[in-house]
Amino acid sequence: MSQTSPTLQLIERAELIKQGAEARVYKLPVYFPEPSIRWPSKLRKLAEETPQASSSTQSSSPTPLLLKHRFPKTYRHPHLDSLLTRQRIQSESRSLLRCLKAGITVPLLRMVDVEAGMVGMEWIDGWSVREVLGGGAEGEEADPELEDEGEVDEEKARRRKEAEGALASLGITIEQLMTSIGKTLSTLHLAQIIHGDLTTSNMMLRPAPTRSAGYEIVLIDFGLSSHSNVPENLAVDLYVLERAFASTHPTSERWYQGVLDAYAKGLGEKKWALVGGRLDEVRLRGRKRDMIG
Amino acid sequence: MESYHLSHFPVDHSSVHLAFFKNVTNSADLRKRLVAAATMEGEEGDRERDLLDYAFVEANMIVDREQLLTAIYSALQAASSGSLKTKTLHSEVLLSLHPSATPQINEALRKFGISATTKNLILVRIGPPSSCSTTSTSTSSPPSSDEDAKAEHEQKLVDAMSDLVEGEMTSLSQLRESDVDWKGLKKLYKLNEMNLPSNAPSTETEKDMLAAVITSTIATKTVAG
Ligand SMILES: Nc1ncnc2c1ncn2[C@@H]1O[C@H](COP(=O)(O)OP(=O)(O)OP(=O)(O)O)[C@@H](O)[C@H]1O
Ligand SMILES: [Mg+2]
């Protein structure tokens, strides 16, 4: 039939980093290749005589791109499938744009190809908070025995060690990290953005030498996000994270309290009164559900 | 001039060439020629259109390479899927730069195209990697001759550009240091809601923030609104 679209061809040059149920995530090392640079012949002659004229040949260094491919799902009707894919891409890119406008650090967008189900965004050079807290990479068990079996290859082990040393190398404590996360989440909610899937895998820690703190929290994975200012929705968003903390980082209760404290402070007393109250109700509902199910 | 070779696009538009000129003095003349060339007849008309076969971009509306390359990518994408909204890839680039999902081409040209008073100008040429490769169908020809043909083509192109434009060719890395129209950009890309302190960004961090929104707006246009 038709030739593979240029966007899909990018996958051939990319490295698969996560195979999910909804999407495959790739790292594309080079989006636009390094350009060749040429100067007009008359300038070049000039440059040979006066060396400094040729000094401004500085060019862009190729930056990697994150490709998120929402591949076709054969178990769904094709029409429904492309509709759902479009909706996911739409809400993800709208939320990312809204975040950028609100000053929340998220990956910037480089390419959207709805027909191909592809979004290309800035590659965040850092670690997921999950890795930093010793939970391993997503999909990988936080089980030390695995290493004994020699199942974890060297690269993974090296990365894990690097992630776990990230806090020390940046000179920050877990408490400080938790405070940053809480503050970031309050900004998100003040901008009326509901993330929809807050987990420690969907938050990244990136070194940022130009910032006074030396690092920044980058939120990712906005596929389930929405726009809302209703306290119930904000509370559910937080509750999802609470559960994620409890299951991925079993000894994390104290850490998580740090997130909540900073969140409450960021939100402001009045608003926190509403959201905090809701959160108690949501927790209660969750516990009841657990008892039945 | 910077030349990007994108092998995953059809060979006829697999090469993108960009050149940035500062202190341009013949913009009024170039504009006149562009208008006249559109209706010029005969061989002379073809030659003139060939000489002027670029997107002439108002550089004060461009903050960095990413913004321009993102628009170029979506124009190429539109061409590949047969959904060009304008007659040529070059005018499609100007259209892609505009934040509106359905801009009038005239409006896009007014904002991003060359005007009689343009002082800083970017030429964009999208085409095959070298003048002969459109006809060559073999992909297994020795790479060295391919590279030579490319290099020769690029040198001819950059010389043609510098003959056409009276100004100083400069690295595109200098874009932000030149006279970016932040006020115009903020209005057009609706960046005023970002509650940044002043009209023109004062720090690099602020510029980065604005540039990120501009590039992302262009990239997400097809799903915006
Ligand atoms: N912009 C990025 N830069 C670097 N790494 C990223 C980026 N986005 C995602 N990742 C990595 O890829 C993993 C998966 O990405 P993401 O969470 O967006 O996909 P997903 O969970 O499969 O998506 P969804 O839940 O919408 O189906 C992340 O946990 C993170 O480690
Ligand atoms: Mg995820």
Side-chain angles (χ1 to χ4, degrees):
Chain A
M1 259 189 31
S2 68
Q3 218 193 330
T4 318
S5 81
T7 303
L8 287 176
Q9 284 182 52
L10 290 173
I11 289 178
E12 291 162 22
R13 294 192 266 129
E15 174 198 352
L16 181 68
I17 58 167
K18 196 199 161 203
Q19 163 80 61
E22 279 289 325
R24 289 190 198 102
V25 175
Y26 300 86
K27 180 181 185 178
L28 179 67
V30 176
Y31 183 37
F32 278 88
E34 184 108 42
S36 54
I37 308 225
R38 287 184 204 286
W39 295 99
S41 312
K42 51 185 181 194
L43 265 186
R44 277 186 17 199
K45 279 183 209 116
L46 198 76
E48 275 153 31
E49 288 152 29
T50 51
Q52 65 268 34
S54 62
S55 62
S56 61
T57 48
Q58 165 195 17
S59 82
S60 64
S61 55
T63 45
L65 205 65
L66 178 115
L67 294 175
K68 193 161 179 175
H69 184 209
R70 299 185 181 276
F71 50 86
K73 317 293 179 304
T74 45
Y75 53 85
R76 284 203 289 246
H77 186 280
H79 267 90
L80 178 65
D81 188 43
S82 61
L83 193 73
L84 286 175
T85 298
R86 169 177 276 273
Q87 276 175 359
R88 282 287 189 100
I89 291 181
Q90 207 157 35
S91 70
E92 181 160 37
S93 37
R94 278 184 195 164
S95 297
L96 287 172
L97 199 56
R98 194 174 289 130
C99 284
L100 290 169
K101 286 194 178 184
I104 299 158
T105 313
V106 296
L108 71 87
L109 289 144
R110 288 303 302 271
M111 180 252 290
V112 173
D113 187 334
V114 176
E115 269 73 57
M118 189 87 83
V119 175
M121 63 183 94
E122 178 188 6
W123 174 259
I124 305 300
D125 204 2
W127 311 272
S128 74
V129 169
R130 175 179 175 143
E131 293 171 281
V132 171
L133 295 180
E138 202 178 5
E140 172 188 316
E141 242 43 64
D143 180 359
E145 277 178 38
L146 266 178
E147 273 160 88
D148 294 342
E149 288 167 28
E151 291 280 326
V152 182
D153 63 39
E154 253 173 63
E155 168 60 19
K156 264 197 194 135
R158 191 197 56 76
R159 186 173 163 85
R160 177 183 273 201
K161 224 171 131 203
E162 187 192 85
E164 287 171 14
L167 291 179
S169 73
L170 290 166
I172 50 176
T173 62
I174 289 190
E175 286 71 26
Q176 281 169 319
L177 178 66
M178 296 302 121
T179 302
S180 302
I181 292 173
K183 211 169 147 210
T184 303
L185 295 183
S186 70
T187 326
L188 183 78
H189 283 174
L190 286 174
Q192 310 191 356
I193 303 160
I194 306 297
H195 183 281
D197 188 17
L198 284 178
T199 62
T200 48
S201 315
N202 288 338
M203 301 170 184
M204 297 188 69
L205 172 66
R206 170 167 72 177
T210 58
R211 299 219 170 206
S212 55
Y215 69 95
E216 57 195 353
I217 302 293
V218 188
L219 299 176
I220 60 165
D221 196 356
F222 281 77
L224 295 171
S225 63
S226 54
H227 187 191
S228 169
N229 196 24
V230 181
E232 163 81 14
N233 296 345
L234 273 56
V236 171
D237 218 20
L238 284 178
Y239 184 63
V240 170
L241 181 63
E242 193 165 308
R243 297 301 298 254
F245 255 96
S247 67
T248 330
H249 313 287
T251 57
S252 64
E253 213 164 300
R254 200 172 44 87
W255 297 345
Y256 181 73
Q257 190 55 45
V259 175
L260 269 191
D261 291 345
Y263 175 87
K265 199 168 153 220
L267 214 57
E269 218 171 297
K270 246 166 116 188
K271 192 143 194 199
W272 169 245
L274 293 171
V275 179
R278 270 290 165 173
L279 184 57
D280 290 336
E281 289 172 38
V282 175
R283 279 181 187 136
L284 206 61
R285 284 206 311 259
R287 226 167 287 145
K288 276 188 193 148
R289 209 171 33 235
D290 284 351
M291 274 169 14
I292 298 162
Chain B
M1 182 183 77
E2 298 185 357
S3 301
Y4 296 84
H5 299 285
L6 310 170
S7 55
H8 53 296
F9 282 104
V11 65
D12 267 348
H13 36 88
S14 64
S15 291
V16 175
H17 310 276
L18 311 174
F20 172 38
F21 291 89
K22 269 165 64 164
N23 302 318
V24 176
T25 52
N26 65 335
S27 289
D29 180 48
L30 286 170
R31 254 206 64 89
K32 256 189 233 142
R33 280 177 67 182
L34 277 165
V35 174
T39 53
M40 206 182 276
E41 285 172 19
E43 231 170 83
E44 195 194 356
D46 289 339
R47 201 165 46 239
E48 181 70 351
R49 278 186 290 277
D50 214 41
L51 276 174
L52 298 169
D53 190 15
Y54 302 98
F56 290 80
V57 183
E58 168 59 62
N60 289 0
M61 293 296 277
I62 304 297
V63 295
D64 53 22
R65 284 187 190 83
E66 279 67 37
Q67 180 191 1
L68 190 56
L69 290 173
T70 300
I72 288 171
Y73 193 93
S74 41
L76 287 170
Q77 208 172 281
S80 301
S81 64
S83 54
L84 281 181
K85 294 192 194 76
T86 59
K87 274 192 228 142
T88 71
L89 255 174
H90 290 148
S91 45
E92 195 77 12
V93 170
L94 295 168
L95 202 72
S96 297
L97 282 165
H98 198 282
S100 159
T102 52
Q104 299 291 317
I105 179 65
N106 285 343
E107 155 78 0
L109 285 177
R110 208 157 47 77
K111 295 282 189 220
F112 292 97
I114 185 175
S115 75
T117 55
T118 293
K119 224 184 94 203
N120 301 313
L121 178 69
I122 300 174
L123 296 196
V124 180
R125 159 74 68 92
I126 302 173
S130 64
S131 31
C132 57
S133 58
T134 17
T135 49
S136 108
T137 46
S138 95
T139 48
S140 56
S141 60
S144 63
S145 70
D146 253 22
E147 289 304 311
D148 287 350
K150 251 191 220 170
E152 199 188 311
H153 176 69
E154 284 167 13
Q155 194 59 52
K156 265 194 200 144
L157 195 60
V158 69
D159 285 336
M161 286 180 174
S162 84
D163 286 344
L164 192 63
V165 180
E166 285 163 24
E168 305 153 27
M169 198 183 285
T170 311
S171 163
L172 279 102
S173 306
Q174 302 296 309
L175 273 168
R176 276 222 209 156
E177 270 66 62
S178 58
D179 323 304
V180 175
D181 179 10
W182 290 107
K183 202 169 162 224
L185 285 168
K186 278 181 134 180
K187 192 162 164 233
L188 186 63
Y189 286 98
K190 301 202 176 64
L191 309 177
N192 288 320
E193 59 199 72
M194 282 176 72
N195 67 56
L196 288 171
S198 59
N199 240 333
S202 48
T203 63
E204 280 309 303
T205 315
E206 266 178 53
K207 287 180 187 176
D208 284 344
M209 281 171 70
L210 291 172
V213 177
I214 290 171
T215 293
S216 302
T217 301
I218 295 170
T220 55
K221 250 172 67 169
T222 52
V223 288

